[in-house]
Amino acid sequence: MQFADRLNNVETSAIRELFKLLGKPGIISFAGGFPDPAMFDVEGLKEASANALTEEPGPALQYGATEGYQPLRDQLSTYMATKGATVAANELIVTTGSQQALDLLGKTMISPGDKVIVEGPTFLATIQCFRLYGAELISAPIDAHGVKTDELEKLIAEHKPKFVYLIPTFGNPSGAMLSLERRKKVLELAVKYNTLIVEDDPYGDLYFHAAPPPSILSLSKDVPGSRDLIAYCGSLSKVLSPGLRVGWMIAQPELLAKATMCKQFSDAHTSTFAQATASQYLKLGRLPAQLAIVRKVYAERA
């Protein structure tokens, strides 16, 4: 069969192969970012799903808006405020996991041959996603304090990338933490070179000791002109349940509109039942206590 040329740039992800091991008894994989099932708040999710079917059965089981289920968008706006970022509900869209947010960025931003700067190393699935759309990936060096911003500036100036992709808080797979000083520098570089910064933040709530520095998104309020140059990808997968497949993307209006249009072509909308369940769970207020449990257990294991 004659397949699309774009598939020549990618191969089967090792991550998908790792998923197959999860069902085997006795297997504990350190190779993927898989939460321990024992850490899932099953009782809370039972209550949340029951509430969704009791209080809003029609909307929870019906087709929904591509942008996302409005009560969940409202809850996520409140959730982001607890993380120091002022985000209106209409400034975010709900995605089927943060992985879809990255795919939508690839669809809306990357043309074949475009350059994208990523950390070296970075998340394998992101590499595969961006390459699928024809990106040439440029690797920026990192150390224990995250991407080296002096080297990053040289690469931005030389390659003029479509965007820069970073996991500033507990980078995957490095574990590096971008320092507060470097986060501010990244924002300054975004403005100086008019370059989009994609902040992937699936792990930010899973700190073991002191809280990490504020997100790049939340710091953008201190750097004039930088807010519209940040696309933030969030997820409930690591802190609540990967099976819900609920993530979100925050970006400036034009980018969100293009991403929403592309999402219409792929899945129409993220599962409304999953969104209603997530909304009800956040409404119950159980997440802070659950996070405290998860942090304690994972810290002891680490």
Side-chain angles (χ1 to χ4, degrees):
M1 297 182 70
Q2 296 294 318
F3 294 107
D5 290 343
R6 73 176 67 91
L7 296 182
N8 296 333
N9 299 323
V10 296
E11 57 189 23
T12 300
S13 171
I15 292 175
R16 193 175 73 176
E17 300 304 313
L18 291 171
F19 284 161
K20 298 176 183 178
L21 296 176
L22 289 180
K24 293 187 176 181
I27 291 289
I28 299 175
S29 174
F30 290 109
F34 305 136
D36 181 355
M39 295 295 97
F40 297 151
D41 183 8
V42 177
E43 291 305 312
L45 286 167
K46 281 183 180 177
E47 184 177 354
S49 60
N51 287 351
L53 290 174
T54 300
E55 298 178 16
E56 44 195 339
L61 298 175
Q62 183 58 277
Y63 287 113
T66 304
E67 293 86 347
Y69 182 60
Q70 192 58 45
L72 176 59
R73 296 173 82 193
D74 293 337
Q75 289 290 340
L76 290 173
S77 172
T78 301
Y79 176 61
M80 290 303 302
T82 68
K83 296 158 71 71
T86 302
V87 180
N90 64 358
E91 293 178 315
L92 65 87
I93 62 171
V94 179
T95 57
T96 304
S98 61
Q99 184 65 42
Q100 187 185 50
L102 298 175
D103 181 66
L104 292 173
L105 283 164
K107 285 180 178 176
T108 56
M109 298 297 296
I110 298 173
S111 298
D114 282 345
K115 296 181 179 181
V116 173
I117 295 177
V118 301
E119 294 160 299
T122 194
F123 184 37
L124 176 60
T126 302
I127 293 173
Q128 300 285 50
C129 173
F130 294 163
R131 280 183 176 163
L132 181 65
Y133 296 109
E136 178 186 344
L137 300 186
I138 310 297
S139 183
I142 66 169
D143 58 21
H145 304 291
V147 68
K148 297 180 179 180
T149 47
D150 54 344
E151 296 294 327
L152 177 62
E153 180 167 13
K154 294 176 184 177
L155 291 172
I156 293 175
E158 177 183 356
H159 295 286
K160 298 176 176 56
K162 218 45 175 311
F163 58 83
V164 176
Y165 169 78
L166 301 174
I167 310 175
T169 307
F170 312 128
N172 180 354
S174 69
M177 173 80 76
L178 190 62
S179 66
L180 178 61
E181 179 183 2
R182 290 186 184 181
R183 290 173 192 238
K184 293 178 180 178
K185 181 63 175 179
V186 166
L187 287 166
E188 293 169 1
L189 293 177
V191 175
K192 181 177 179 180
Y193 294 97
N194 193 34
T195 299
L196 178 70
I197 306 295
V198 175
E199 179 178 19
D200 196 2
D201 187 27
Y203 313 108
D205 285 322
L206 297 179
Y207 52 88
F208 298 158
H209 306 292
S215 67
I216 293 174
L217 174 69
S218 63
L219 290 170
S220 65
K221 63 180 179 293
D222 300 324
V223 180
S226 65
R227 177 60 183 262
D228 280 352
L229 293 169
I230 305 298
Y232 176 96
C233 304
S235 175
L236 293 180
S237 290
K238 311 302 183 187
V239 298
L240 184 55
S241 162
L244 281 177
R245 306 309 304 132
V246 171
W248 62 96
M249 181 168 74
I250 299 164
Q252 53 103 327
E254 188 178 10
L255 176 51
L256 276 189
K258 295 292 187 185
T260 300
M261 179 180 67
C262 288
K263 182 173 167 61
Q264 289 172 347
F265 305 151
S266 58
D267 67 356
H269 60 80
T270 298
S271 162
T272 47
F273 182 61
Q275 290 188 76
T277 298
S279 174
Q280 288 288 343
Y281 186 89
L282 293 173
K283 183 180 176 181
L284 288 171
R286 294 177 65 108
L287 186 57
Q290 180 65 16
L291 280 173
I293 295 170
V294 170
R295 288 172 188 148
K296 182 175 184 296
V297 171
Y298 284 162
E300 290 171 353
R301 292 179 182 179

